Amino acid sequence: MIIERSSEWEEGFIKRLENNDEWDSWTLYNMSYEVAKTNLITEFSGLQSPKYLPNLTPLTHQLEVAEKVIERMNGKAILADEVGLGKTIEAGLILKEYLIRGLVKKALILAPASLINQWVEELNYKFHIPAIPYKKNIQIENYDVVVMSMDTAKKSPHKERIYAENYDMIIIDEAHKLKNHKTKIYEFVQSLKKKFCLLLTATPIQNDVFELFYLISLLKPGHLGNYEMFQSSFSASKHNLEHDDYLKELVNQVMVRNRRQDTGIEWTNRHVQIIPIEFTKGEREVYDLILELKNVSTVFSSSFSMITLQKEMCSSKEATCLTLEKMHQNITDPDEAKFVEGIIKKLMSLEINSKAEKAYEIISQANDKVIIFTEYRASQIYLQWYLNSKGITSVLFNGQFKKNKRDWMKHLFKEQAQVLIATEAGGEGINLQFCHHVINYDLPWNPMKLEQRIGRVHRLGQENDVHIYNLAIDNTIEKDILDLLYVKLDVFEKVVGELDDILSAFKKSV
């Protein structure tokens, strides 16, 4: 087959030129002109995107966030609305706006694996943005909007593929996962070219003020100075700082945050309380023996292992026993081994779990759907057995479940079971507005984990008051956890702003 270059265009051009013919159809030109005129955006103020979104009716605060980020923050911002106010919708509006204006062509969304499908569905259905979930065999250069898990993105060869692309916008969901600047995911995001960048997190400070420094440094390097300058200017330590009003002003230049009470939406009430619990004599005896371990065996000399054991003892003997038996294998001294064996024997002879009994009491009085959050899978399994023995139906929810199983557990909880027993994985990515009671069976060191847990039920669409029960055993490490939680909450409120009650209805002065 012989392929030759066509000369038809040249012959037509010469003919029109010699005969002074029309160059093209005037009608078609006018039609083309009208289309171009209609699509022309004559000013940069105001949003164009809502009129192109028939499947979405944004709330007023969501429109205001999108407008503020585009007009005043140049497309680089932390979206820090409280849990349940629709940060995904805000990010979608901003992305759609830039796509319409022609300022963004390619976008990368990084999110936890459990939220990938949710992002893809919302972008496609609500925003008519053709986003695709990243899979290993996908050639990302052929797609303009890609949604990928953080864990995948930071690894080779995926990160190299991303670096090879010129993304106009980067969106990172659950951005508080970037709080540690020494992690691979932080280094990866830091290396990305970021013309426009959105960081989504309801909890920009989780444990200390430096987390916010590193988050803002990802977004706008130098906005708070370098580390030494930041530390010096604000006399900053983990849980304390000076000139917090000035710092708050700087933070608000790159962060948008709405509270539930600011939205103009009528919200149901949140009833929060700390439930004190007393150990039985037998439980207290074992707890005290565990405290003695650091003086008996070098295997238990590290503060981390001791703290873990104390927390587990406040949760269940099952969780405690697993750790003790694992550490017992590393003991070589016969006397030390005998001491640990004695603790295990006393531990397994306990017949009462005071905290589990209190949880059962709360569930019985609620006579409604209840979520229990525990930090240990051994406690999770024990609680399901214990509640079943009391005639209470329950389902489990943890991070080892694949998406289909997570969806099935959620369905069973809604339609059949009274209780959902979740590990920390249940505090992220699921919406359970049909439930109105949350038991924090184990308290985390991080107060924002509590906010995330509560946000699973206290969010848009919740029609009932929400009841939160924080269980804490007297004269144990849980008292220290409570004290530190209040300190961390104080730092959050100084820099970021007020927070709804998450520990009790009365804030402790620190």
Side-chain angles (χ1 to χ4, degrees):
M1 180 184 292
I2 299 174
I3 300 176
E4 296 180 348
R5 187 187 298 274
S6 172
S7 61
E8 186 178 334
W9 71 273
E10 185 178 355
E11 293 166 358
F13 174 77
I14 293 171
K15 182 181 177 183
R16 286 195 299 271
L17 191 64
E18 290 176 345
N19 299 328
N20 200 25
D21 289 344
E22 288 184 3
W23 290 99
D24 213 330
S25 166
W26 179 247
T27 303
L28 288 175
Y29 173 80
N30 275 324
M31 290 172 66
S32 179
Y33 176 81
E34 289 300 321
V35 169
K37 185 179 176 181
T38 301
N39 290 332
L40 185 66
I41 299 172
T42 56
E43 58 180 359
F44 207 81
S45 61
L47 298 178
Q48 304 295 318
S49 53
K51 60 188 176 186
Y52 297 101
L53 303 174
N55 295 334
L56 177 69
T57 305
L59 299 172
T60 302
H61 74 273
Q62 293 166 344
L63 292 169
E64 289 172 350
V65 166
E67 197 165 341
K68 184 175 182 180
V69 169
I70 290 169
E71 294 183 6
R72 292 167 53 186
M73 296 182 172
N74 300 315
K76 286 190 174 184
I78 298 173
L79 306 186
D81 285 0
E82 288 187 322
V83 176
L85 292 185
K87 290 182 287 296
T88 307
I89 299 297
E90 293 166 359
L93 282 169
I94 295 166
L95 174 58
K96 185 72 173 181
E97 193 71 25
Y98 279 128
L99 287 168
I100 290 171
R101 294 174 187 271
L103 295 174
V104 167
K105 185 177 185 298
K106 291 178 74 70
L108 174 68
I109 294 98
L110 300 177
S114 60
L115 302 181
I116 298 294
N117 289 338
Q118 181 180 318
W119 267 99
V120 171
E121 288 169 10
E122 293 209 356
L123 288 175
N124 278 276
Y125 177 72
K126 292 181 179 178
F127 295 96
H128 300 285
I129 296 173
I132 59 115
Y134 176 78
K135 294 186 172 67
K136 292 179 181 179
N137 59 344
I138 283 178
Q139 302 297 316
I140 59 174
E141 62 269 19
N142 297 331
Y143 300 92
D144 289 334
V145 183
V146 178
V147 186
M148 186 183 300
S149 82
M150 291 185 187
D151 288 336
T152 299
K154 69 184 180 184
K155 299 172 185 174
S156 295
H158 317 292
K159 67 178 181 180
E160 287 79 12
R161 292 176 184 171
I162 294 169
Y163 287 149
E165 298 299 307
N166 289 314
Y167 287 105
D168 303 302
M169 173 169 273
I170 307 293
I171 299 174
I172 301 174
D173 196 8
E174 304 291 344
H176 48 267
K177 294 183 181 294
L178 303 172
K179 62 186 178 182
N180 186 347
H181 67 290
K182 296 179 181 178
T183 58
K184 286 184 178 180
I185 186 62
Y186 187 94
E187 293 174 5
F188 165 74
V189 173
Q190 191 175 39
S191 301
L192 286 173
K193 297 183 286 288
K194 298 181 280 293
K195 177 181 173 184
F196 301 114
C197 183
L198 302 176
L199 304 180
L200 281 58
T201 173
T203 56
I205 294 179
Q206 296 216 333
N207 286 295
D208 65 67
V209 72
F210 294 111
E211 294 171 352
L212 182 61
F213 167 79
Y214 285 116
L215 210 57
I216 290 176
S217 296
L218 274 181
L219 192 69
K220 295 186 77 173
H223 184 72
L224 299 179
N226 59 26
Y227 180 87
E228 290 74 18
M229 188 184 298
F230 174 76
Q231 194 174 32
S232 171
S233 299
F234 301 102
S235 301
S237 60
K238 277 190 172 185
H239 304 138
N240 195 24
L241 72 159
E242 296 176 5
H243 314 299
D244 48 272
D245 287 340
Y246 177 51
L247 178 57
K248 198 170 187 177
E249 184 180 329
L250 288 174
V251 169
N252 286 337
Q253 291 173 13
V254 294
M255 184 178 77
V256 187
R257 182 171 185 265
N258 285 302
R259 297 191 63 206
R260 295 175 186 87
Q261 63 190 41
D262 302 329
T263 60
I265 301 167
E266 188 172 338
W267 289 85
T268 59
N269 295 318
R270 182 186 286 196
H271 305 280
V272 189
Q273 54 183 316
I274 295 172
I275 309 292
I277 299 166
E278 286 285 346
F279 264 152
T280 64
K281 184 178 178 181
E283 288 173 316
R284 175 63 61 183
E285 183 181 353
V286 175
Y287 187 85
D288 291 341
L289 285 171
I290 287 172
L291 292 178
E292 280 293 312
L293 276 172
K294 63 179 180 291
N295 302 322
V296 173
S297 173
T298 54
V299 173
F300 297 90
S301 59
S302 78
S303 57
F304 177 77
S305 60
M306 286 305 302
I307 288 171
T308 299
L309 278 169
Q310 290 176 69
K311 287 194 74 197
E312 287 173 337
M313 184 58 203
C314 291
S315 183
S316 70
K317 68 181 183 183
E318 286 75 14
T320 316
C321 192
L322 283 176
T323 300
L324 280 173
E325 288 179 342
K326 186 176 180 180
M327 299 184 78
H328 176 261
Q329 296 172 5
N330 299 321
I331 297 175
T332 55
D333 184 276
D335 292 334
E336 293 180 11
K338 188 175 181 181
F339 187 83
V340 174
E341 289 163 8
I343 295 178
I344 294 174
K345 186 176 180 180
K346 284 182 177 293
L347 182 67
M348 297 314 296
S349 67
L350 294 175
E351 296 182 357
I352 294 174
N353 183 321
S354 299
K355 188 183 277 187
E357 288 192 345
K358 177 58 71 174
Y360 168 66
E361 181 184 322
I362 293 168
I363 292 166
S364 299
Q365 290 174 355
N367 194 29
D368 199 355
K369 302 282 184 185
V370 180
I371 304 174
I372 300 179
F373 283 103
T374 176
E375 295 203 337
Y376 308 104
R377 291 187 62 217
S379 297
Q380 187 186 36
I381 294 167
Y382 162 74
L383 283 168
Q384 184 173 48
W385 170 85
Y386 175 74
L387 292 175
N388 183 65
S389 71
K390 299 289 187 179
I392 304 289
T393 55
S394 66
V395 292
L396 304 184
F397 197 98
N398 63 56
Q400 294 202 339
F401 292 174
K402 294 188 181 299
K403 182 183 183 301
N404 288 344
K405 188 169 183 179
R406 289 162 66 98
D407 291 344
W408 178 240
M409 291 299 106
K410 178 180 172 180
H411 172 78
L412 287 178
F413 177 43
K414 184 176 183 179
E415 300 298 331
Q416 296 182 26
Q418 184 181 351
V419 177
L420 183 141
I421 309 169
T423 57
E424 209 60 60
E428 182 180 276
I430 56 168
N431 303 331
L432 303 166
Q433 294 94 322
F434 57 85
C435 179
H436 324 122
H437 299 265
V438 177
I439 297 175
N440 287 309
Y441 185 84
D442 296 320
L443 293 174
W445 292 102
N446 180 350
M448 295 305 117
K449 285 187 177 181
L450 290 174
E451 174 62 15
Q452 290 282 355
R453 293 174 181 181
I454 297 169
R456 298 307 100 213
V457 299
H458 199 218
R459 57 193 302 114
L460 287 171
Q462 177 58 263
E463 298 177 352
N464 296 276
D465 285 0
V466 174
H467 299 267
I468 316 299
Y469 314 90
N470 296 308
L471 308 189
I473 300 175
D474 290 336
N475 301 311
T476 67
I477 195 171
E478 292 189 329
K479 171 66 167 59
D480 300 327
I481 293 173
L482 279 173
D483 289 342
L484 188 56
L485 286 173
Y486 278 114
V487 170
K488 291 178 178 180
L489 283 171
D490 184 59
V491 173
F492 183 97
E493 295 194 338
K494 280 181 178 178
V495 180
V496 178
E498 289 289 313
L499 193 70
D500 275 0
D501 298 333
I502 62 173
L503 283 174
S504 68
F506 306 98
K507 288 182 169 59
K508 182 179 178 182
S509 59
V510 292

